[in-house]
Amino acid sequence: MITRLEARAEPREVAGSGEGVVVDRVSRSFGALKALDGFCLRVAPDEFVALVGPSGCGKSTLLDLVCGLSRPDEGSISAGEAVLMPQRDGLLPWLTAEDNAGLALRVAGASRTAAREAARLHFASFGLEGFERAHPGELSGGMRQRVAFLRTLLAGRPVLGLDEPFGALDALTRARMQEWLSVTLGREPRTTLLVTHDIEEAVLLADRVVLMSPRPGRVVAELDVKLPRPRVRSDPAILALRERAMAVLER
Amino acid sequence: MSRLRDAAPALGLALAGLIAWEAIVRAELIDELLLPSPTQVSTALWEDRSLLGPDLVVTAWEVLAGLAVAVVVGAGLAVAMHLFTGVRRALKPLVVGSQAVPVPVVAPLLILVLGFGIAPKVLMVALVCFFPVTINFYDGLRSVEPDQRKVLRSFAATRWQTFRLLEAPSALPQAFTGIRVAAAVAVIGAVFAEWAGSDSGLGHALLTANGQLLTARAFACVVLLFALAVVLYESFALLERRLVRWAPTPDPSGGP
């Protein structure tokens, strides 16, 4: 059962230069465990969609499917080339920050030096200047996430799958990183699927928030967030959206 | 200073043991032919230095060469077993089974086939040592953090790229654990091979001293073997700390 909280006409027209995502009646089980059951989702190019739901509702499974890391049992997925930023940053501890950030370029065939130099160009705008040669173990949680996000962007894919990128951060750092992500994606828009259990985060960042049911995951409701950016968490409109999402999820 | 403090418990325990040992022998509780006192052993160590020195060099070479073979072959086996399912299925039972073959039984056979030179000793050491290297490296290659694997897969990395960029470096700490274990037990292989047929090396010297009831000299040989194992182990531990600085140390004050 899908409740549209914001009335919207037809599925969005495909616009912009990027590529979108269409998930059509997808089911995926792990043994007897049904993670997703007939799941549908449509993301327009350069749209930012947040998936919110209780733990184990198949959010991460959906990201794996969109990023081509596993195949659906039933249904189909058509998406532009997608890259995943996993839950824990997945940085390689033996590589420096710049080598981690340039990892996708090396996989794509660039030399170690070329990948490193391409990554280094972005360190200043990512607030990582001076930490090019640091290893992940020497970086703070927020910096690790920024390196991981730079690595994800440098993969050069039109679609980003972000799996609870700020879940492990303290509240203050998380708030800063949310602002930072919003600004960065504003500069360089991508089709983005953000998985989170934090409703506030979803409402602050996304164009649209998709609320999911407990396992097996289905879309319970969708919320359009038609608010200008930058958004402020104390904005009454944000608070109202948050309350409505909470009400739906608690039902 | 801090290294001295770190070593204090080991030194203290050794000192206490030596004093007790010396006291027991001096009190003639045990025949000194069966158990020479530490002072007698150290006297033998000093007086027989020109005799034992060359033997130490011989055994050290056997052990180092054997370890080198074990690391190369062991790592090769681990990588082959990791990358190719067929190789894994074919080799794993053999690799595990090889450890059930008693070393003293194999040693004479190797001497028979390879002669009295250094070759059978090196092979014996390699046989004792390759197993911990193979198993640890192999397990290390398989236990990559799932999130890191996901990142590489989402970059569409090839099998070889995943191995080179992720699995191999990620397995390095565990490979070193295997090498350290191998370094500690390597001397056993060398000693058994020398017992089966040799005219030099600490194992040979040990056997000869035993035959002549020169217990103090036999103990001196054991002391040298002990020291050889410790030095090898610590050298590899040092190399490991240099190469895998990024790995989290379980207990920074404990050391390896």
Side-chain angles (χ1 to χ4, degrees), chain B residues 18 21-26 30-44 215-216 219:
Chain B
L18 288 175
W21 178 0
E22 185 78 33
I24 287 169
V25 179
R26 293 239 170 146
I30 297 176
D31 191 337
E32 63 178 31
L33 213 56
L34 290 177
L35 185 71
S37 72
T39 42
Q40 286 167 322
V41 173
S42 46
T43 308
T215 343
F219 269 77

Side-chain angles (χ1 to χ4, degrees), chain A residues 81-193:
Chain A
E81 277 193 302
V83 62
L84 178 75
M85 176 170 164
Q87 207 159 12
R88 276 161 298 152
D89 47 50
L91 294 178
L92 306 184
W94 53 89
L95 294 183
T96 57
E98 57 187 7
D99 283 342
N100 264 297
L103 189 63
L105 301 172
R106 280 193 76 189
V107 171
S111 73
R112 184 190 272 258
T113 333
R116 186 180 291 166
E117 269 160 20
R120 209 181 285 160
L121 290 177
H122 301 273
F123 266 58
S125 61
F126 272 65
L128 291 165
E129 204 165 21
F131 290 90
E132 290 84 354
R133 312 298 311 273
H135 285 82
E138 302 161 320
L139 298 176
S140 70
M143 294 179 96
R144 290 178 65 117
Q145 293 300 326
R146 272 177 282 176
V147 174
F149 188 66
L150 176 55
R151 177 192 63 194
T152 311
L153 277 184
L154 285 176
R157 307 283 165 81
V159 182
L160 308 181
L162 312 179
D163 194 354
E164 297 192 24
F166 312 132
L169 302 178
D170 63 272
L172 197 65
T173 313
R174 191 185 313 153
R176 284 206 194 113
M177 290 297 294
Q178 287 163 351
E179 264 181 62
W180 174 85
L181 180 69
S182 181
V183 170
T184 309
L185 278 177
R187 259 197 329 248
E188 204 173 334
R190 304 284 174 98
T191 307
T192 308
L193 264 171

